[in-house]
Amino acid sequence: MKSARDDILGRVGRALPESADTRRDAARAHLSAGAVNTIPARGQVQGDALVALFAEMVQAAKGQCERLDHGADLAGAVRRAIDAAGLPPEVARAADPRLAAADWAAAGLTVKTGAPGPEVRVSVTGAFAAVDESSTVMVLSGPDHPYT
């Protein structure tokens, strides 16, 4: 006599395409269709409301989020975060031109370009994208964008 488990797994197995090539083709077709996945109601907002939702989710996850009006405010925001955490005013930053433009010295920060080491506990790099549902920030990794 078959168990319910065997019955379910058998149906799943029969529903799968026959070969790896068939499964790969099915996956490619699904991805190229550009179908939108389910988006929870709270995430169906645009513009400033979406940015506010992201900030809310970051803070709910015990993260810190500060919206700046201009890139020139970046070094000051980093300094405030460092001071609040009781860390030394030292930063390692990515070799990103947007970060190079910040006036780190005016904020009283010592800056090195590249990945931080044991001597520098704060790293600043640009974000590639953000996901509001999970308050996740995605960064690119490479020589110009070290992350730790």
Side-chain angles (χ1 to χ4, degrees), residues 26-115:
R28 285 186 177 138
H30 175 74
L31 292 172
S32 66
V36 176
N37 289 324
T38 302
I39 300 173
R42 73 175 179 201
Q44 295 180 12
V45 295
Q46 301 292 319
D48 288 342
L50 191 58
V51 173
L53 177 61
F54 177 77
E56 179 185 320
M57 298 301 291
V58 167
Q59 291 163 349
K62 305 296 184 223
Q64 182 178 343
C65 186
E66 181 177 344
R67 190 166 184 187
L68 305 176
D69 291 327
H70 191 273
D73 301 332
L74 175 63
V78 171
R79 179 61 193 251
R80 287 189 295 279
I82 286 172
D83 289 347
L87 296 170
E90 302 165 342
V91 175
R93 70 164 180 83
D96 184 317
R98 295 169 298 174
L99 299 178
D103 194 351
W104 302 102
L109 294 169
T110 302
V111 178
K112 79 171 212 165
T113 302

Side-chain angles (χ1 to χ4, degrees), residues 125-126 128 138-148:
T125 191
F128 169 70
M138 291 180 272
V139 297
L140 301 174
S141 177
D144 291 341
H145 291 278
Y147 74 94
T148 55

Side-chain angles (χ1 to χ4, degrees), residues 1 4-7 12 14 24 38 56 60 63-64 67 73 80-81 88 96 120 127-128 131 133 142-144:
M1 179 174 196
R5 178 182 179 275
D6 291 336
D7 185 44
V12 168
R14 286 187 297 279
R24 187 178 311 106
T38 302
E56 179 185 320
Q64 182 178 343
R67 190 166 184 187
D73 301 332
R80 287 189 295 279
D96 184 317
V120 179
F128 169 70
V131 180
E133 277 301 304
D144 291 341

